[in-house]
Amino acid sequence: PRAPPPPAAPESQTQAEAVLEAAALCHAVAGSAGTFGDDDTTAAARALEAALRGGDLAAVPARLQRLRALTDGAREATNPES
C-alpha cells in the first residue's frame, strides 16, 4: 500500500514561497538581460521583482505583461515553431 501524501502546506505559506520564487526568477532574468545589454528587459524584470518582494501584488499583472512583451521576441527567436 502507498503511504498517504504529506500534508499540504498552509495556502498562505505556499503563496509566499511562490512569490519569493517568482521574485528570484525575475532577479535572474534581470541579470541575464543585463549581461546582454538589454536595459529595457532588465528594468522590467527588476520592477516586477520589486513589486513581488514589496508585496505590491496589484502592480504585478501590468509589470508581468511588460516583461512578457519584452521577452516574447526572444522566445520566438529561439523557438521558431511557436
Side-chain angles (χ1 to χ4, degrees):
R2 283 187 166 165
E11 188 172 323
S12 61
Q13 181 181 1
T14 301
Q15 288 175 350
E17 289 171 357
V19 167
L20 289 175
E21 184 176 351
L25 285 170
C26 289
H27 187 83
V29 168
S32 296
T35 298
F36 291 100
D38 187 346
D39 296 336
D40 291 339
T41 300
T42 298
R46 285 184 178 159
L48 179 54
E49 178 187 5
L52 290 163
R53 290 194 190 278
D56 185 6
L57 300 183
V60 168
R63 292 180 186 186
L64 178 59
Q65 181 178 3
R66 171 77 175 138
L67 181 59
R68 189 177 289 136
L70 289 165
T71 58
D72 277 348
R75 183 173 36 242
E76 289 170 9
T78 59
N79 187 9
E81 294 179 19
S82 63

